[in-house]
Each structure stands twice: as C-alpha cells, then as structure tokens.
Amino acid sequence: MVKGPVVPTRGVLRPLGVDEVRLTPGFWGDRQELNASVILGHCREWMTRTGWIGNFRVAAEGRPPSELNGREFADSEVYKLLEGLAWESARAGKDIGGLEEITGLVAAAQEPDGYLNTRFGPHGPGHRYRDLEWGHELYCYGHLIQAAVARARTHGEDELTGVARRAADHVYREFGPDGRAGVCGHPEIEMALVELSRLTGDDRYLEQARLFVERRGKPALADIEFGRTYFQDDVPVRQARVMRGHAVRALYLASGAVDVAVETGDDELLQAVIAQWERTVAARTYITGGMGSRYSDESFGEDHELPPEHAYSETCAAVASVMLAWRLLLATGEPRYADLAERTLFNVVAASPATDGRAFFYVNTLQQRVLGPPRVEGQWPWGRPPVGRRAPWLAVSCCPANLGRTLASLSAYVATADDDGVQLHQLTSCAIETALSAGRVGLRVETGYPWSGAVTVRVVEAPGGPWRISLRVPAWAGGASVSYGETRQAADPGLVTIERDWRPGEELRLDLPMRPRWSHPDPRIDAVRGCVAVERGPLVYCAESPDARLDSLGVDPATPPAETTAADLGSAVTLTVNARETRPKETPWPYGTEPSPPAGEPEPLTLIPYHLWGNRGPATMRVWLPDIS
Amino acid sequence: MVKGPVVPTRGVLRPLGVDEVRLTPGFWGDRQELNASVILGHCREWMTRTGWIGNFRVAAEGRPPSELNGREFADSEVYKLLEGLAWESARAGKDIGGLEEITGLVAAAQEPDGYLNTRFGPHGPGHRYRDLEWGHELYCYGHLIQAAVARARTHGEDELTGVARRAADHVYREFGPDGRAGVCGHPEIEMALVELSRLTGDDRYLEQARLFVERRGKPALADIEFGRTYFQDDVPVRQARVMRGHAVRALYLASGAVDVAVETGDDELLQAVIAQWERTVAARTYITGGMGSRYSDESFGEDHELPPEHAYSETCAAVASVMLAWRLLLATGEPRYADLAERTLFNVVAASPATDGRAFFYVNTLQQRVLGPPRVEGQWPWGRPPVGRRAPWLAVSCCPANLGRTLASLSAYVATADDDGVQLHQLTSCAIETALSAGRVGLRVETGYPWSGAVTVRVVEAPGGPWRISLRVPAWAGGASVSYGETRQAADPGLVTIERDWRPGEELRLDLPMRPRWSHPDPRIDAVRGCVAVERGPLVYCAESPDARLDSLGVDPATPPAETTAADLGSAVTLTVNARETRPKETPWPYGTEPSPPAGEPEPLTLIPYHLWGNRGPATMRVWLPDIS
C-alpha cells in the first residue's frame, strides 16, 4: 500500500509514499522539520486555546451549543490537524502527541448513526443538513476522512478509520442513490470519499463521490448573494470552461472530479478538468502561482483580472492547486502540472508561514502599500486584510492546519515511479527507495535548489540492468543540461529521462541556468501594465520596505539583476536592480494633462525572494515594479 | 425659511431653496423630470412589491416578525422615498401621490415613547439598540428626520414632522447627555439632527448630533471583522487624517461633522474635515469623482489604491460626496467643492440611472471585462457585482431612493447668494429668483452644457444699483472667458464675479473651452499605469463594447480626440480617437521574458460619455485606455 494522500488505482505514474521518499535537509526538508517542531504544535495549541478541540467534548457530553466555539467549520481544522499528526507520526516513526487523544474526543462525539458535527449534531436530527449552502457538514466529513485515510495508510486501520467509515456510511444513506440529491456548499468530501474507496475497496464511497460531482451545477444548491458561481453550482463540472467562484472550493471540486474520472475511467470528465485548468493557468493565475484575485468572495476574477494590490491568493487555494496539479500529473504524466506545483509551493505555500513557524499569511498579496495597525495582544487578528505581517492565528483559520498537513506529507508530492524508472518532479534534497519491476532502487538527491541550479542524483541501490531516472527540467529553464559519467547533454524543459544500467555510486547531475530574469505580463492583465517582475529559478522576487521606499520607484530592465546576499536573510540569494525615483508632484487632484514626471538618478534596489517578505518586521512590498526604461 | 435640505445658520454663502432655483429643460432639468415621472414611482412600486412599505403596517398591527420583509435598514428606503416625494411635491406645487398615505403608515408604527423601527420595534424594548454596530436604528431615524425636515420646509409642519420630533426626543432621552454613550454603526443621524435643530430651533438636537460626532473613535462601538475603521470608529473625527472605511458612512459622518462644526462655531472640527477631504480627493478619488475602491467592505482603499476594475464607487457614496461638498461650499465659499460636486454629479450620479429611469447601477465600475449572466425575470439581481447592466431593483437597494431624493432636490445644490449677489455653482439651465439686500433679483440661465461650453445668464429682474453675478469656471476650464455688453474678458478657473448695475434684459455669457483632453493619472495609482483617459468638459469618456472589442486595444494620445455624434445616444457628443490592436499571442502561461507584442494598424475608436454606458444593451466598458504611443 502506498503511504500517500493520493493513491489512484490507475494512471500514468505511480505515486511514491512518505516511506519511499524522505526529505533531507534543504529548502523543503527544513520546512518539514519546522512543521514537525513548531507548526503542528502551534496549531494544536491554538485549537486548544480557542476551544475548537474542546467542541468535541461539548458535543459528546451534550452540553448546550452556547459552549461551542469558533465558526461552523471549526471541526475541519481539528481534522486537518489530525491528518498532519498522522503524516508526521509516519515520518517520525512514532505517534505524535495528541493524535490518539484527539481521535478519542472525535470518536466520542459521533452519534450512533454515524453523524458527526459538533455544531449541528448536539441539536438533534432536525438540525442536520438544513443549510447545505453554508453549513459545511459534508466538508468537515471530507477532512475527517482524509485524516483517517492518512492514519490507516501509515499505521493501519484504527479508531479514526472506524469513525470515518461510519460517517461515510451515514453520508451514503443520506445522500446516496436512494437519498437526498444534495451536495455540500464547500466541495472537499468528493476527493476524500474516492480515497476512502481506494483504501477500503468499497465502491459505495466512489459512487457517492461521483454523485456529488455530477449533481453540481444542475443546480443542486440554493442561490446566494454571491450567486451559485461562488460554489461552482452554476454549471455542471463537465461543462464548465474555467475555474470560477471561490478558489478553494473550485480547486477542491476539480481535484475530486479528477479522482472520480480516474477511478471510473471517465476520460470526458478528466479532459474537462484539464481544459479548465489550462485556461485558469493561462488567464487566472498570479505569477506566484497564487489563485483567486477577489477579496469580496475569495474568488477567481474574470480572465486577466489579476490585481497585485489586494490580491487574495489564499494560502489554502495554493494548497488546493498543488493537490489538483498532483492528481493531473499522476493521471497524465505531463510535467506542466509539476511546473505549476513548483511555482506555487515556492511562492505561496512557502510564503505563508513565518520563518519561525508561528505566524501565517492567509492572503498572499502581491503589493502591500501600507502597514496595518499594530497587533494588539489578546486580540485575534482577522488576518484577511493584508496589513504587512503574518498573524499567529485567525478567526477563520483554515490555512495554518492546511499547511501543516501539506508540509507533513510533502515528500509524497516529490517523486513517482512507473515500471521502468523513477521520476523526480520536485527538485529537492531527499532519499528515494522504491521497487521497480526489475527490483529495488535507491537514490539520494542533493541540491542547494532553489539557490543553486545544480541537482545531483546519486544511485545507492540498483537492480542491475537498464532502468530510467527522469528529472523535470522546469519550463523556465531553457539552456539546462544533464551530465552523467563522461556524458553531458542539453536538457530541454520537460521530463529528461536517462535510461542505462544505473549502478550504485553513479550520479546524474542536472544543471539549471539560474540567471535572474525580467518577466513581462500579458498586456491583458491590466493591473500590472507597464510593470516588470523579477524571477530567478522558480522564485518570484519582490522589493520590500526595509530596503526601499516603494511608492514611487521604477526600474530599468535593460540591465540584468545582479546576485547578492543579505545578512538578515540567511542563505537566500537576493538581487540588485537599477531603480529610479519618479516622485510626482503633490497636487490637489491626481489626474492631469501632463504625463508622469521624469525619473531621477539611478540607484540600486534590493529584491528579495517573495516567500521571505515580512520576516524582517512589518513591511510594505511589491512584486510588480514600474518599468521606466 | 430656505426650502432646501441644508440650511446653516452661518457660513459664507446662503443656499437658495427649491423655490428660488427651478431647473429648466437641459441635462439636469430633464433628469429631474425623469425622476418625477419615473424614478420616484418606480421606487414606490418596488418598495410596495417587496413589502418594505408594508413593514410599517406589520409593525403597527403587532404582527409577527416573520411577516417583515427586506433587510434591517429597509425602513430607511421608505424614508428616502418620503423625502423625495416631499421635494417633488414642492417642485410640482401639489402633493405627490403616496406621501400622505405612507406618512400615515409610518406614524402608526411609532411606539408611544417615540421609538420607531419595524425590525426591532415589534419585539419590545428589550430588542432595541442591542446591536448598534449593525442594527441601523439610528441611521433609519436620520432618514426619517431628513424626510420630515424636507416636508416641513416645503409644506409646513405636519404629521411627519411630529413623528420625527418624537423620534428625536426619544433619541435624546436614550443617547443624550444623560443617556447611553452609543453611536450608530452607520452615520447619518448626525446631519439629520443638526437640520432638525435648524428647523425647530431646539438646541437639544444639535447637542445630540455633537455627542454622536464626538463619541466616535474613542471608540464607541465593538470591534468587527472589518475592524472599527469600517464605521470610522478607529480615530476621533477631529484627529482623522483622511476618509477611510465604508465610503458612504465616512462621507455621511463628515457631512454631519461639518454641520455640527458650522452650528457650534467649531473651526478646528471644520478644518479637520477639510484636511481629510483634501487628501481624499488627492489620493482616494476616481477620475469620475467616485469614491470607495474596495468591494469587500464597500470602503475607501489606501492612498492611490484606485483600481478601475471591480471599482466600487457606490452611487450612494457619490450622493454623499455631493452632500459633503455642498456643506463645505456653503461654509467656505470655495469653488473647489463645487468642482468635485460637478464631476461627481455628471460621472456617477448621472451614470447610475438608466436613461429610462427604470434600472440603476449600485456600483459604478470603471472597467467591465465581461457580461454577467442574463437577467432572470422574477429574480432580484443582487446588483453589486458589476455585470455590465443596471438592475431594476436590488436586495440592498439604498441607491435608487437616494438618487430619487437627490434629483428631486437638485435645484437646491445649484446656486447660492450673499448680501451682494448670486453665485451659480452648477452650470445648468434654470430660473433663479431671490432677494438680495438691495432687493429682488431674477436670472434665467440657459446652456447646452455639458455638450456646449456656452452658458448664458439673462437678468430678468433687478433691484437697480450695483450687484454681483458670479459664475464658477471649472478647474479644468483654462482659457475660459466671460462677456457682457461689449466687454469680453478672460476668466480663470474659480468664481468669476461681475459687479455692475445689472438691468433686466442684460446677459452675462460664459464660454468654456470644450476641447477634449487626454488625462494622465498620478503614477502612484498603480492600477492605471500606462493608461490614459479622455475627458471633455466635466465629462469622463469611456469605450464600450457596442463600438469595439476592448480587451486588447491601445490608444495614441498624440492625436487629439475628434468630436462626433452617435445616432443612438441622442444629443450626446461622442469622440473618436486613434486606437491600435495589440492582441497578444495565446500562451499557456501569461508571464514571459518578452515585452508586449507590437501594435497593429491604427483604427478609429468611438468613446462615449461614461454616464451613458450600458444604455445600448449589456456592455463591456473601460475608462482607462492603454497608451501605446
């Protein structure tokens, strides 16, 4: 059994589990360690303090609803934490504190018929599923089931698996072929049910997921102020042309639809999601990989509506986008999905947590004009309006635990195998051990990526005879090369595969060109017209207020950015570009018959990796820089 | 008694009432006629159909709250309608149907102690004022009182005045010097109470308004998800530096603060509001005069955060901005306030209603990329997300009745007098009759403005001896001239004043240069970098989809726009500019190392006045055009 979050029964590539790929020290390995040592505990502490974990006790003991805490989806946060603890227990090789205790609380709150929700459950059956649009009950089951699957795959079935099965059976009775034709306002349960079906072999769960996917958009839910687009109930999944509405919901639904399509062999459905993904990437995705441009309803905007200012780009949408990309990669084998996942991981997922792991961005704006008011001790920041700093916790706190479970299972998103070889999709230091049809293979990947462009893959175990090692050359990496033995050859973007009789001790080395580059936006992205951004390798860069006053700077892309380092940013590569001040006159009215003022003298401007902004104190920031050339 | 909505007891200029200034056919006179013949009746019909008027009957009869309709502020819509009917009755010289009947319903719902609110009233005293943050009870009183003042000034005190006095007395008991130190989450009552004090001479109402203004920001309300900035409870009014938070609330509060400052002689408070207004105009105002750039909380953004796309620019914020500008104009006599009012009236207030008066924009975006889904009969459009068309009604329907009362009283915002003469602030066809210290004067203003730049003021009555006629030369109108008799002289922007022994039959003529002009934004307004807009006279222009495909057009401001007319836009002056297509390649990823594609061949592009967009069917639109010069 593959010990990973996504284990399709068919597809081009076979995922490698968390026991087959282990991250070693490096960009992602270090973050996984931080997750283990800080983030998961931080989440547990806050969920205890806020009473979200305690809600299960309130429900189990039948205490009044006035004793419940948090929002209607608070249960799901606890489940995400459980999932993170399950993955981390597998990684650590021992159960992480809290896992068993919280599982016990959850189990105690489940009702005899399988229903489980602290918010609606204690009020009796008449309160169940009364508000599918906003109640999040099925959404919460989704996270429960994903946690249970993680636990079962890494530890074996236990109490949590039982709880999840009973809940899923209950859902099948209530919403199955003979039940009510409803769906959840927040998709999530679809992919969870497919995974439970994969785990247990019980086809009812797959059928239930299929029903949830197919009912959507016919429509299945009531209209709401944001319109049914908000929860993707405007158009059936297989007829939709693009991702739209609430970004996390859209991406979770698409992930579930891919799972259903793969398991049922429904190529039409798979192709529909692929087409939606293509247009979404081409017209509705930030340069960081972030998705969702609108604040008002956490939604995708229209094509090319990608304002950097007040950009939403929710952390959970980035997690969801990586989940979707991974599913599409497994189904098709195409490296473009890993390309987007890489961009999103480095520039949104890595940007959300502070370097100390104790504060998080909920939204990942691309421009921060001003600092918000100072943090008040004891007050939870709501955290959504960007204020130039991360928040230790949020009233709507979906993101920290979503990060926690993602980082804990991150090694499962790195590499795959097929009969003939291993494919490394994310270029990160790790150890890979798995079995091919020819026998067991072992690899050690070592790299300073993304700071360095050299990735070395050393063979430590090999079956004898020819087999293949494949490495993804990112789409931005024109001019890359691979070398092994005495051979050195150009490697175009895509998957470069070297088949030979790889022997222990041999190395395959990938060299990526890490020259910083200016990036220009499609001119239809009106909000960044006349601007340029800087990228280096997979990283997007930004200017931040500790280094410059940002409201009237322009840059000249004629000169290439120069590499530097900053004492206060550790091993990060920083950059310097030529900037010029273009401070306009202060006038009583900001529109006039004269074009912009001329620019001042050139001065150097430091750029830092976007994912590190806001770690040197509250800051203003911008990714897109006015082009004054 | 001046028959107008704002009648300060002191100030530089004396407002002229609706009996002293009557609009005659022309841009605004025609709209006032449309308001009389269509808009007010449309509002009454919808408020009847939706049950908002019926709510007063439900409350009076003590029927259960389940029979109430609409949102918690629905009462205020009925009051705004009453105010509009009061002004229109004065204009028409006879009571407009509905006024007396609705007044009777309102009066019947008032409780013996003066409390009046259909939403909270029927549930008894324990439900009153429980949620000052969101309950809107004091806000509703504000509109009630403004309606009653309008009625009393134009007709004499009647049942409605009694209702308003009882409500205001109740407020004074509950929130006065000896009462609870609360304020309303939505400012509005402040300016209403000052006006009631001006009407009745009762200083308690002024004192109550002063208390509401002074309590704010200390803070007086609970924190909310949007933060206390949302309802201007973050900083005391006299310490604030700029308008912020919910735009309508901010502008209503500022209006009330000016009223309080003027009546109490509090120059510090007045200067504080003026300073806030200055920065708001310089950095937080759209080229249309629209205010409020954020969708999520209908709020001002930060300085220079003025995205055209998804711009909020609520119609009610425009109405409120005109109200504030008028108060500042009366207090100071400075023409810059009338300049902003003109811009806002022509480009937001006039843009909201359809030319047939039966549909309205709630938000006045400056860029519409796509058309929304088609309207479904019987479904109320929520109307806030811009979909390229106006809505006949909205669930939150603050704007139509706000327009109705504003248009019905518009002649009261046109001209003022002082001892020595008359000042014409808005250049519109009208008849003015008033008394100066020297005796009665009469003027007829005739103009094709804003299509023509000629404004003729004919004297029809004069007292003999010297007196002054002043005309506002708009800030954009460099090169204007005035002429009278054989004299012709240059007239700089500002108030041009000609003092002479004006005799009946004599004319003063103002000639404004109406050459269309390219306008460039302050470079700190990032969202429109590299773009230009076109203005002509007081009008902002836009490109609309019936005339062009807008997603890849650029313009060359080297060539001046040429004047044209469009058969389907009546008397409107349309413009033609040189445009070029810059259609980018379709690529899988919208960011790349190559700058924009070169532009195609020049082609003519029609621009229409912004306020007319969306009247030729659903449309896409943009005000800011990429500059490809």
Side-chain angles (χ1 to χ4, degrees), chain B residues 364-406:
Chain B
N364 295 278
T365 188
L366 278 75
Q367 180 177 4
Q368 180 71 40
R369 282 189 188 273
V370 297
L371 301 181
R375 184 177 293 155
V376 179
E377 202 52 49
Q379 256 184 26
W380 294 4
W382 285 87
R384 291 203 295 148
V387 293
R389 68 171 73 82
R390 294 167 178 85
W393 201 246
L394 307 103
V396 174
S397 210
C398 43
C399 300
N402 218 357
L403 278 174
R405 66 176 186 144
T406 303

Side-chain angles (χ1 to χ4, degrees), chain A residues 586-617:
Chain A
E586 293 300 330
T587 53
W589 179 242
Y591 311 97
T593 51
E594 294 305 312
S596 294
E601 290 305 301
E603 50 185 312
L605 170 66
T606 298
L607 304 182
I608 68 164
Y610 171 77
H611 72 267
L612 288 173
W613 88 277
N615 275 301
R616 297 181 290 172

Side-chain angles (χ1 to χ4, degrees), chain B residues 47-176:
Chain B
M47 287 187 208
T48 303
R49 194 198 298 189
T50 55
W52 299 357
I53 292 175
N55 284 347
F56 289 92
R57 197 175 283 116
V58 173
E61 296 173 0
R63 279 145 58 193
S66 59
E67 294 186 33
L68 292 168
N69 291 288
R71 293 284 298 271
E72 64 278 17
F73 37 73
D75 290 2
S76 75
E77 311 307 344
V78 180
Y79 301 145
K80 279 186 258 176
L81 174 62
L82 271 182
E83 185 187 337
L85 295 175
W87 294 120
E88 181 53 28
S89 294
R91 195 182 79 97
K94 60 168 198 243
D95 275 9
I96 301 298
L99 204 160
E100 213 168 310
E101 182 196 333
I102 299 171
T103 298
L105 289 173
V106 168
Q110 189 168 37
E111 301 185 31
D113 66 350
Y115 183 89
L116 174 53
N117 189 289
T118 65
R119 172 66 50 132
F120 301 101
H123 315 308
H127 284 78
R128 296 175 180 179
Y129 309 124
R130 277 216 306 212
D131 183 4
L132 291 178
E133 287 73 24
W134 295 108
H136 286 78
E137 288 155 286
L138 296 167
Y139 166 85
C140 287
Y141 289 143
H143 281 295
L144 167 69
I145 292 168
Q146 288 181 322
V149 168
R151 184 63 174 159
R153 286 201 177 128
T154 55
H155 171 268
E157 297 209 12
D158 69 350
E159 189 175 21
L160 192 58
T161 329
V163 172
R165 276 178 180 263
R166 283 191 297 277
D169 292 346
H170 170 78
V171 169
Y172 188 77
R173 284 194 304 275
E174 294 285 327
F175 294 93

Side-chain angles (χ1 to χ4, degrees), chain A residues 223-225 278 281-283 285-287 289 294-296 302-307 309-310 340 343 367 369-370 379 382 384 517-527 529-531 551-552 582-597 622 624 626, chain B residues 223-225 278 281-283 285-287 289 294-296 302-307 309-310 340 343 367 369-370 379 382 384 517-527 529-531 551-552 582-597 622 624 626:
Chain A
D223 200 5
I224 56 167
E225 174 170 356
E278 285 172 348
V281 172
T285 303
Y286 283 103
I287 191 170
R294 289 187 182 172
Y295 235 80
S296 47
E302 300 296 341
D303 285 359
H304 306 112
E305 180 187 333
L306 291 163
E309 182 164 35
H310 234 55
L340 184 72
R343 181 176 290 275
Q367 180 178 3
R369 282 187 188 272
V370 295
Q379 254 185 30
W382 286 87
R384 291 205 292 148
R517 56 196 192 275
W518 296 100
S519 292
H520 301 264
D522 184 307
R524 289 169 297 184
I525 305 177
D526 292 288
R529 183 181 314 288
C531 288
D551 62 348
S552 54
T582 56
R583 178 149 289 276
K585 277 184 306 198
E586 293 300 330
T587 53
W589 179 242
Y591 311 97
T593 51
E594 294 305 312
S596 294
R622 58 186 304 158
W624 289 102
Chain B
D223 202 5
I224 56 167
E225 174 168 356
E278 285 172 349
V281 172
T285 303
Y286 283 104
I287 192 171
R294 289 187 182 171
Y295 234 81
S296 46
E302 300 297 340
D303 284 359
H304 305 113
E305 180 187 333
L306 291 163
E309 182 163 37
H310 234 55
L340 184 72
R343 181 177 290 276
Q367 180 177 4
R369 282 189 188 273
V370 297
Q379 256 184 26
W382 285 87
R384 291 203 295 148
R517 56 195 191 275
W518 296 100
S519 292
H520 301 264
D522 184 307
R524 291 169 294 186
I525 306 176
D526 292 289
R529 184 180 315 288
C531 288
D551 62 349
S552 55
T582 55
R583 178 148 288 276
K585 278 184 305 199
E586 293 300 330
T587 52
W589 179 243
Y591 311 96
T593 50
E594 293 304 313
S596 293
R622 59 186 302 160
W624 289 103

